Amino acid sequence: MKTLSKQHPKEGIWLTQTKRPQCGHNDVLIKIQKTAICGTDIHIYKWDEWAQKTIPHGMTVGHEFVGTIAEVGAEVRGFKIGDRVSGEGHITCGHCRNCRAGRRHLCRTTLGVGVNRPGAFAEYLAIPASNAFKIPDDISSDMAAIFDPFGNATHTALSFDLVGEDVLITGAGPIGAMAAAIAKHVGARNVVITDVNDYRLSLAKQLGATRTVNVMNESLKDVMGELHMTEGFDVGLEMSGNGSAFESMLENLNHGGKIAMLGIPSSDTRIDWNQVIFKGLTIKGIYGREMYETWYKMVAMLQSGLDISPIITHHFSINQFQEGFDAMLSGKSGKVILDW
Ligand code: NAD
Ligand code: ZN
């Protein structure tokens, strides 16, 4: 079968042939229809320090996908051939305390599809059946292909009550822009989103942000004045991984404010603990998606009118994968879909 994999220890990704994976007793084998390119895939493409440390030679990459079930393992219940599914790219151990308590996103020994084990940029993917998620008929395959990052946005945005609140999102990448749409959908008042990239801010605007701010040429304080926000933001969603964005979030949150932190900062990022302590802030780290509360919430929000479709800006066939990666690398894209 065809796969996109990391064949050489340098920048790039390669379309190659490999053997179809085996479907274990507890697995489902999925015939992939569509995949989407994640920021993680770009780290692997660029072969940065993290990728060099983490990705084994020849690894099939990718973890954002939708497909149909082609084979069902002998022990599997609840799935049948032909079911349309997406799935969790975090494979958890199943026997640690958190897994057993149903908090699988907090498993201590998570393995990543397309990072630590063969991924979804392939004609077929085998994963544990408990990681597959059935997609209702009224949800498009394009949407289902991006449930992984949409799930990051959902997990983060729904971490704190947003009804009637003023929300600051730092970073209008695909995940930040989707979070803006979610925050508006669930009833936030002002959703202000920052970035340094105007293309991305315009996508966030299209998705429903109240106000976008390019921090290179506008001050967040001025925007808060314009919106008559005298006390500060109630909730912050950090989605840039940028230290100065996080610093401005700390500065502009009201006392008692809450922060859900998804963006991954560099190890030398400093934090002004005085802001945290004297303002009584709550900071919650967010990893992945809740299994499977987040997945049910995504379905429910789409079925109740949430429209995040403008976040998909590009479609390519798998043979044009290089154009897809180039679109992601340009910074002028939302989600990029590759059709298999
Ligand atoms: P992305 O890199 O596409 O988006 C980040 C955005 O932040 C970019 O648009 C960038 O221009 C913007 N940015 C840079 N400097 C900024 C500044 N000073 N102020 C405001 N914005 C600034 O990433 P994404 O795919 O949307 O993911 C968002 C973040 O979440 C990334 O840091 C990613 O690594 C992280 N992530 C974490 C998890 C998790 O499980 N915790 C999962 C997926 C992604
Ligand atoms: Zn576990």
Side-chain angles (χ1 to χ4, degrees):
M1 65 169 188
K2 260 191 242 178
T3 69
L4 269 188
S5 59
K6 195 71 198 181
Q7 290 298 324
H8 305 287
K10 60 177 186 186
E11 181 164 313
I13 194 157
W14 291 268
L15 191 59
T16 50
Q17 290 284 332
T18 187
K19 266 179 43 198
R20 187 194 283 201
Q22 297 273 333
C23 180
H25 282 190
N26 293 306
D27 294 346
V28 288
L29 183 72
I30 301 164
K31 169 100 177 69
I32 298 293
Q33 289 177 333
K34 289 171 185 280
T35 54
I37 304 175
C38 172
T40 304
D41 306 323
I42 295 300
H43 288 290
I44 299 172
Y45 179 95
K46 287 185 178 162
W47 204 234
D48 67 10
E49 208 181 307
W50 168 84
Q52 292 179 32
K53 274 197 319 228
T54 315
I55 306 298
H57 170 76
M59 177 61 84
T60 295
V61 179
H63 55 273
E64 301 181 359
F65 67 92
V66 63
T68 52
I69 294 201
E71 200 179 323
V72 179
E75 304 291 335
V76 173
R77 301 288 173 270
F79 290 97
K80 60 179 191 314
I81 290 176
D83 283 347
R84 195 168 57 120
V85 294
S86 181
E88 246 308 325
H90 288 176
I91 311 287
T92 58
C93 77
H95 49 75
C96 71
R97 177 175 180 174
N98 281 318
C99 279
R100 296 190 61 172
R103 298 184 294 259
R104 289 176 55 185
H105 63 294
L106 298 176
C107 176
R108 298 166 60 84
T109 52
T110 301
L111 291 178
V113 170
V115 175
N116 314 109
R117 51 179 276 158
F121 290 170
E123 286 179 86
Y124 291 91
L125 169 72
I127 53 170
S130 58
N131 276 62
F133 186 85
K134 252 191 260 188
I135 302 297
D137 290 344
D138 56 352
I139 288 175
S140 73
S141 289
D142 275 352
M143 275 305 115
I146 62 166
F147 262 30
D148 175 295
F150 176 29
N152 293 135
T154 301
H155 184 185
T156 314
L158 300 187
S159 280
F160 298 110
D161 182 8
L162 299 186
V163 180
E165 304 290 39
D166 292 333
V167 179
L168 172 64
I169 303 175
T170 44
I175 300 179
M178 287 190 276
I182 296 163
K184 282 310 280 185
H185 183 73
V186 303
R189 180 170 59 179
N190 292 308
V191 177
V192 175
I193 187 163
T194 66
D195 205 293
V196 292
N197 174 330
D198 283 326
Y199 176 94
R200 292 193 140 181
L201 287 169
S202 72
L203 264 182
K205 184 80 196 168
Q206 232 180 309
L207 282 166
T210 316
R211 181 69 157 82
T212 60
V213 184
N214 186 330
V215 293
M216 299 289 272
N217 43 42
E218 251 189 316
S219 114
L220 195 50
K221 281 267 187 294
D222 291 346
V223 171
M224 289 162 75
E226 182 192 298
L227 295 170
H228 310 294
M229 290 179 46
T230 47
E231 299 196 349
F233 290 94
D234 304 299
V235 179
L237 310 177
E238 205 311 291
M239 303 196 148
S240 72
N242 182 283
S244 64
F246 183 51
E247 212 170 301
S248 84
M249 179 173 279
L250 292 177
E251 276 165 24
N252 292 303
L253 242 65
N254 196 0
H255 288 232
K258 300 178 178 75
I259 297 178
M261 206 168 165
L262 181 89
I264 302 166
S266 62
S267 52
D268 56 0
T269 301
R270 62 173 285 284
I271 161 164
D272 181 357
W273 290 107
N274 286 314
Q275 295 273 2
V276 178
I277 293 160
F278 293 111
K279 283 184 167 178
L281 302 180
T282 302
I283 303 178
K284 180 186 178 196
I286 308 288
Y287 183 53
R289 298 142 296 278
E290 286 187 358
M291 299 173 214
Y292 282 82
E293 270 310 288
T294 301
W295 292 74
Y296 287 99
K297 297 279 191 192
M298 285 190 276
V299 167
M301 289 191 293
L302 293 175
Q303 289 177 331
S304 59
L306 173 66
D307 180 12
I308 53 164
S309 56
I311 201 62
I312 299 177
T313 53
H314 295 74
H315 275 96
F316 296 99
S317 81
I318 191 56
N319 294 323
Q320 299 168 293
F321 71 89
Q322 189 59 53
E323 287 168 66
F325 277 82
D326 290 343
M328 282 290 285
L329 290 160
S330 74
K332 292 200 167 162
S333 73
K335 292 304 297 182
V336 175
I337 304 264
L338 302 175
D339 287 294
W340 283 78

